[in-house]
DNA sequence: AAAAGTATGTTGGAATTCCAACAAAAAGGA
DNA sequence: TCCTTTTTGTTGGAATTCCAACATACTTTT
C-alpha cells in the first residue's frame, strides 16, 4: 500500500489534506489502479474524459498526433503528477490528445465528476481539493506558455538554446541531464530530428554547449 | 453602473452567483475600474501579479515579446473575459507576458489573493468563485493546446489552414470574419507576415479559400 | 560473442522561410 | 479633397528546414 501512498503524499492534489483522510477520499473518488507497459496508450484521442490520473510510478507523455503522423509532445508527467484533469474541469467530453506511457508505469485513476460536484457525503476535503486543482491547472497553464515561448522561436538553434536555458534555470545549474531522447526532444521542439542533431553538433563545435547523450552543459 | 454590471453577468467568474451578491463581492475583492487607450500596456512583463482583470469593454491581447523583438500573440480576450488569473493562482510573482489594449478598453481589476484565500467575512460565494475559476483556467489550458496544435504545423500554409479550419468550426460556418489583422495573425501563427500574405494569395488563386480583408470562406 | 534492433549523427538536394525593400491599397487627419 | 500614415501584397536572394538515405554507435537478445 506504500507504493500508492508515498507518491500521493507528494501529489499537489492532496496538499494540506491530512494523510488520514486519503483512504476515505480514494473510496469516495472511486479510485482504481492500473499498470501500463512502455508505449501503451493510457488515453486515446477521442475517448471520453471521465477519469483523470495520478502517476504512482514511471512517466507518461501527453502527445498530439496530426493527420500526417507528425508527433508533438505537449508535456511529460512523472511520479506524483496529474494528467487529464483539465479536460474534466473544462467539461470537454472527448480528449483531444493521447497519453502514452513513456516507460512502464502505474496510474491511479480518479473519477473527476465526483471531485467537482460536491459528493453526497459532503466531504470536508472537497473544497481543498478544488483549490489544489486550481493551483495545479494554473501551473500547467504557465508550463504551456513556456513551451510556446520556446517553440515560437524561428530557428532550430534558437529553440534548442531556449530549451536548454530553461532547463538550466530549472536545475539551477549549467550542467543537467534531460529526460527526452533525441527524437522526443525534436517532437517537443517541433523540429526535424536530423536537423536538430546537426544543430546540436554545431553548437558543440562552436563551444557553446557540451553534451554526451542526455547530459548537457551550457558554456 | 450598467456598463459594469452587464459584462459581469456574462462573466464566467460569476456563473451561478446571484446578481444581488455582486456589489458585495466587488467590495470584498477590492475592485477597481481603469480605462486604457489602444496600444497601452495593461500588464508589463516582470510586474507583480496582484490583480487580475475582467474586461468590461474593448479587447486585449496577451503578448510575449522575445529578446529580438519578435512578438508572439498568445491569446486575445474580449468583453466579459478574464486575464491574468493563472499567474495569481499559480503563485507566480512576476508576470512573464505583456497585456496590451488592442482597442480602447475598460478593465475591472480584482485582488486575487482575496479570492483564493477565504476572506475574513467567509463569504458564501468564495467556493463558487473558486470553482468558476477552475473551469475558466481549464478552458484556457485547452485553448493553449489548440494554439500549439496550430503553430506546431511545419509550413505556413498548414498553419493558416489549421487556423481557418478551427475558426470555421468555432463559427459553425464556412464563412466567418477574424479579429486579427494580417500582422497580428502572423504573430499568432508565429510566421513572417509577408510570407503569410503570399501564402494566403496562393490559397486564393488555387481556389481553396476566398477572402476579402478579414472575411474568410473555406471552399 | 554475434546478430538484430534501436538511437544518434551526417550529408546533399529540394522546398520553404526569412528578410528587406518596395508597390499598392486602405484608413485617418488636416 | 489632399496628404500622411498604416496596412496589405509582391518579389528575389540568402538562410534555414525538411526529407531521405545512409553511417556509426549503442542496446538487447539469442
Amino acid at each position: 500500500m506504500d507504493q500508492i501512498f508515498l507518491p500521493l503524499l507528494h501529489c499537489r492534489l492532496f496538499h494540506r489534506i491530512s494523510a488520514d483522510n486519503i483512504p476515505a477520499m480514494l473510496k469516495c473518488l472511486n479510485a482504481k489502479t492500473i499498470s501500463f507497459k512502455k508505449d501503451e496508450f493510457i488515453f486515446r484521442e477521442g475517448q471520453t474524459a471521465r477519469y483523470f490520473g495520478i502517476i504512482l510510478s514511471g512517466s507518461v507523455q501527453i502527445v498530439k498526433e496530426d493527420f500526417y503522423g507528425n508527433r508533438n509532445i505537449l508535456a511529460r508527467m512523472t511520479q506524483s503528477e496529474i494528467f487529464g484533469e483539465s479536460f474534466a474541469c473544462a467539461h470537454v467530453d472527448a480528449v483531444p490528445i493521447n497519453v502514452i506511457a513513456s516507460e512502464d508505469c502505474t496510474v491511479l485513476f480518479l473519477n473527476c465528476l465526483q471531485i467537482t460536484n460536491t459528493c453526497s457525503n459532503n466531504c470536508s476535503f472537497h473544497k481543498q481539493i478544488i483549490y489544489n486543482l486550481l493551483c495545479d491547472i494554473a501551473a500547467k497553464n504557465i508550463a504551456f506558455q513556456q513551451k510556446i515561448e520556446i517553440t515560437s522561436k524561428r530557428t532550430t538553434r534558437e529553440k534548442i538554446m531556449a530549451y536548454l536555458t530553461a532547463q538550466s534555470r530549472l536545475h539551477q545549474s549549467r550542467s543537467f541531464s534531460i529526460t527526452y531522447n533525441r527524437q522526443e526532444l525534436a517532437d517537443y521542439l517541433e523540429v526535424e530530428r536530423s536537423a536538430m542533431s546537426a544543430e546540436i553538433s554545431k553548437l558543440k563545435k562552436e563551444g557553446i554547449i557540451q553534451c554526451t547523450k542526455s547530459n548537457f552543459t551550457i558554456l
Side-chain angles (χ1 to χ4, degrees), chain A:
Chain A
M1 209 51 178
D2 264 6
Q3 278 130 349
I4 292 191
F5 267 113
L6 288 180
L8 290 186
L9 291 179
H10 294 102
C11 178
R12 190 144 40 176
L13 193 64
F14 298 120
H15 187 232
R16 293 202 188 187
I17 292 181
S18 155
D20 306 340
N21 287 326
I22 293 183
M25 294 179 61
L26 295 186
K27 192 162 193 181
C28 172
L29 298 173
N30 211 354
K32 294 175 195 173
T33 305
I34 304 181
S35 291
F36 298 89
K37 292 256 166 241
K38 180 171 154 65
D39 293 332
E40 259 189 285
F41 279 74
I42 297 173
F43 285 163
R44 203 180 278 269
E45 193 173 339
Q47 233 173 269
T48 54
R50 233 170 271 140
Y51 287 79
F52 69 89
I54 301 177
I55 301 173
L56 299 179
S57 68
S59 62
V60 311
Q61 286 176 348
I62 317 297
V63 176
K64 178 85 199 180
E65 214 144 338
D66 81 3
F67 194 71
Y68 306 101
N70 277 325
R71 287 196 143 203
N72 182 2
I73 297 180
L74 291 170
R76 178 196 176 87
M77 304 284 158
T78 183
Q79 186 171 280
S80 298
E81 293 185 304
I82 320 172
F83 62 87
E85 75 284 14
S86 51
F87 307 114
C89 295
H91 307 294
V92 171
D93 40 346
V95 295
I97 47 82
N98 297 305
V99 179
I100 301 173
S102 50
E103 48 187 331
D104 292 359
C105 63
T106 310
V107 177
L108 184 78
F109 288 97
L110 301 180
N111 186 312
C112 37
L113 294 177
Q114 226 102 34
I115 280 203
T116 51
N117 302 340
T118 11
C119 80
S120 48
N121 315 333
N122 200 21
C123 308
S124 61
F125 47 74
H126 263 117
K127 196 176 161 190
Q128 183 67 45
I129 286 231
I130 290 181
Y131 179 69
N132 290 345
L133 259 182
L134 179 62
C135 297
D136 172 80
I137 296 186
K140 285 189 182 163
N141 221 306
I142 288 164
F144 273 130
Q145 286 188 32
Q146 284 170 346
K147 171 171 158 101
I148 291 175
E149 185 181 346
I150 291 170
T151 57
S152 70
K153 298 267 182 287
R154 300 301 164 83
T155 67
T156 302
R157 163 178 289 232
E158 283 178 307
K159 291 185 190 186
I160 295 169
M161 287 311 294
Y163 176 77
L164 292 180
T165 306
Q167 286 292 309
S168 168
R169 207 176 308 131
L170 196 68
H171 290 90
Q172 301 188 307
S173 163
R174 292 184 170 287
S175 294
F176 50 87
S177 74
I178 66 175
T179 51
Y180 291 131
N181 65 29
R182 291 292 187 273
Q183 181 62 62
E184 290 170 335
L185 181 57
D187 289 344
Y188 180 85
L189 297 180
E190 303 168 6
V191 296
E192 201 57 29
R193 180 198 61 77
S194 63
M196 185 190 73
S197 248
E199 203 60 45
I200 289 177
S201 295
K202 260 198 202 171
L203 286 166
K204 286 205 285 195
K205 273 180 203 146
E206 295 177 25
I208 296 170
I209 64 170
Q210 268 182 357
C211 91
T212 53
K213 294 220 272 183
S214 295
N215 302 310
F216 286 80
T217 304
I218 301 179
L219 302 172

